[in-house]
Amino acid sequence: MKPSLGKLYLIPTTLGDNEPLEVLPITVKNIIDNTTTFIVENEKTARRFIKKISPEKVQSSLEMFSLNKFTQESDLPSFLEPCLNGTNVGLLSEAGCPSVADPGSDVVKIAHQQGIQVVPLVGPSSILLALMSSGMNGQGFSFNGYLPIDKSERKHELKRLERLSLEHNLSQIFIETPYRNNKMLEDISNTLSSGTMVCVACDITLPTEFIKTKPASEWSKNTEDLHKRPSIFIIHKS
C-alpha cells in the first residue's frame, strides 16, 4: 500500500541571537521535535538553531538538504522525496520566514505540483513587523528586495519607488546588505524629496531594536549606526 504523503512545514526562525521561544510559538518547537528531515540554507546554523530549540534532539539523526545559490534546480525535486514516502520535511529559514525574501519558493511550488500539503508556521517576518511599526500604508505596499549596488542606478531606483508611492499610494519596502546600510540611508536622505517619509527598522525583535519614521531630510542627521545590523527600509510619499 502506498504510504500517505508527508507534509512540508515552512519553519520560521528568530531574526537574531535571541531565545527562540521569546518570539516563536510552541508549535514551532513541537514540529521541530518531531521532524528529522530538513531543507536548509546553511547546515551549520540550522543545526545550531535546532539544538537551541530542541536540545534533546539527536543531531546525528538529522537529514539535511542544502538550498542556497549553489543548489541546482534539478536537485530540488529530490528534496521532497521523503514526503512522497510518508515523511514530513521542514523547510527552515536562515532568519525569519521561509520563501519570503528567502530561498524556498521553488521547493514550495514543486510541493504543490506533487500534491504535498504545505503548512506555514507562525513566526517573525521582518518585512511585516517593520511595516506594522512604520505608520505607513498597511493596505497598499510593495516589497522590492535589494536595490541596485551602483550608486547612480540606486538613486534612479529610489526616485522611481518614490514616484510609484505618490502615484499609487503604495508604501515601498526594500532591504540592503547590512554592511551597506549606512550608505543606503545616506543615499535615501540625499535623493528623496525632503518631505518623503522614511522608516528604518533595525534589529527587529532584538534588545537593540531601533525603529524610527521621519521625513527624508531629517535622516541626514542620523546618529544611529546601522552597520552590519539587519535593517528594513520603507518610504512613502503623499
Side-chain angles (χ1 to χ4, degrees):
M1 181 180 295
K2 185 177 180 180
S4 300
L5 297 178
K7 299 176 182 178
L8 176 64
Y9 287 100
L10 308 185
I11 304 176
T13 64
T14 57
L15 296 174
D17 192 24
N18 44 2
E19 288 300 316
L21 294 183
E22 288 181 0
V23 293
L24 296 169
I26 194 66
T27 305
V28 172
K29 174 176 169 53
N30 292 340
I31 294 298
I32 290 177
D33 284 346
N34 293 285
T35 303
T36 56
T37 304
F38 296 90
I39 302 169
V40 304
E41 189 173 354
N42 181 295
E43 183 172 339
K44 184 177 180 180
T45 55
R47 286 183 178 276
R48 186 186 305 130
F49 171 75
I50 291 170
K51 186 174 182 62
K52 196 169 187 178
I53 199 169
S54 184
E56 69 282 1
K57 205 164 188 61
V58 179
Q59 289 281 321
S60 60
S61 69
L62 303 181
E63 179 182 22
M64 292 199 173
F65 299 100
S66 294
L67 177 62
N68 51 47
K69 62 182 179 181
F70 302 110
T71 305
Q72 298 294 317
E73 187 176 350
S74 59
D75 291 337
L76 298 183
S78 67
F79 295 175
L80 293 173
E81 285 182 4
C83 288
L84 300 179
N85 294 318
T87 299
N88 294 332
V89 173
L91 174 58
L92 189 66
S93 175
E94 186 77 359
C97 297
S99 303
V100 180
D102 194 81
S105 59
D106 287 339
V107 172
V108 174
K109 180 171 66 175
I110 293 170
H112 285 296
Q113 292 170 347
Q114 296 184 343
I116 296 167
Q117 183 180 353
V118 177
V119 183
L121 301 182
V122 174
S125 163
S126 58
I127 298 167
L128 289 180
L129 291 172
L131 181 62
M132 287 164 56
S133 56
S134 69
M136 296 185 185
N137 189 2
Q139 300 292 330
F141 56 90
S142 177
F143 176 67
N144 301 277
Y146 292 92
L147 302 195
I149 296 175
D150 179 80
K151 187 180 182 68
S152 61
E153 291 179 5
R154 184 167 62 247
K155 288 188 173 185
H156 182 271
E157 182 66 4
L158 283 169
K159 294 299 290 185
R160 187 184 75 85
L161 295 179
E162 182 182 46
R163 186 171 63 254
L164 285 174
S165 177
L166 177 62
E167 292 174 353
H168 302 286
N169 190 30
L170 294 175
S171 296
Q172 300 293 327
I173 310 170
F174 51 92
I175 53 179
E176 178 57 284
T177 302
Y179 67 84
R180 290 199 293 262
N181 281 336
N182 287 330
K183 186 60 180 173
M184 171 60 81
L185 187 54
E186 180 183 327
D187 286 342
I188 287 172
S189 63
N190 291 335
T191 303
L192 300 183
S193 300
S194 60
T196 295
M197 299 304 293
V198 177
C199 176
V200 177
C202 174
D203 289 347
I204 296 175
T205 74
L206 301 178
T208 53
E209 181 178 84
F210 171 83
I211 303 174
K212 292 286 184 183
T213 297
K214 51 189 179 181
S217 59
E218 294 187 20
W219 281 107
S220 61
K221 311 164 192 172
N222 177 59
T223 57
E224 187 76 19
D225 187 7
L226 306 177
H227 187 57
K228 292 187 176 180
R229 298 168 65 187
S231 300
I232 301 286
F233 300 91
I234 312 175
I235 66 173
H236 193 104
K237 184 174 184 179
S238 56

